Amino acid sequence: MLKLLFYSTLQSLCLVSGQIFLKVALAQIGKFSLSRQFVREALTTWQLAASGLCMALASLLWFHILKHYAFSVAYPMISISYIFGLLAAVFVFHESIPLTRWIGVFLIMGGVVLVAKGNL
């Protein structure tokens, strides 16, 4: 179970990192359009490449997790990404997170603990 927790945490970190890079890239590119200029800017932004790399790594880790662990245990474990997402919102994007959202995430994490404990 500790291996699954390790892999799930690593997968979640890669997933959230990919989302952070994607948000930063999209903010730098400007208004979305299907123009050649927009596509060119998107494809030459290093943050978009970093996002793709992080997402690819997250996918590879997810492949490994799905191959070796029960889906009913593995899928709830990736909810760890909610905590990393909220922390990124606070520390990277300087967003204000209401208490109700924190409570919701901690309830989800409580569920993850119950799923993990049931499989020890």
Side-chain angles (χ1 to χ4, degrees):
M1 183 54 68
L2 286 177
K3 279 187 179 182
L4 175 58
L5 183 59
F6 172 76
Y7 290 135
S8 297
T9 301
L10 191 57
Q11 192 268 351
S12 294
L13 281 170
C14 290
L15 188 63
V16 171
S17 296
Q19 296 296 332
I20 291 168
F21 281 123
L22 182 60
K23 183 164 177 65
V24 169
L26 292 172
Q28 288 183 352
I29 294 168
K31 187 176 178 183
F32 178 81
S33 70
L34 293 177
S35 67
R36 285 185 179 179
Q37 180 182 356
F38 178 83
V39 172
R40 189 176 335 115
E41 286 180 34
L43 293 178
T44 58
T45 303
W46 72 267
Q47 290 92 343
L48 191 64
S51 173
L53 183 62
C54 289
M55 297 289 198
L57 222 75
S59 294
L60 290 173
L61 283 164
W62 184 236
F63 295 164
H64 176 79
I65 291 168
L66 284 179
K67 178 78 174 161
H68 298 286
Y69 299 96
F71 189 77
S72 63
V73 178
Y75 200 77
M77 295 299 280
I78 62 170
S79 297
I80 295 167
S81 64
Y82 293 136
I83 289 221
F84 296 137
L86 278 184
L87 292 174
V90 171
F91 294 112
V92 177
F93 300 112
H94 309 291
E95 296 177 11
S96 176
I97 309 298
L99 179 61
T100 54
R101 200 165 301 150
W102 284 108
I103 291 170
V105 167
F106 283 113
L107 287 172
I108 291 168
M109 295 315 300
V112 170
V113 168
L114 292 175
V115 169
K117 280 190 172 204
N119 290 289
L120 290 177

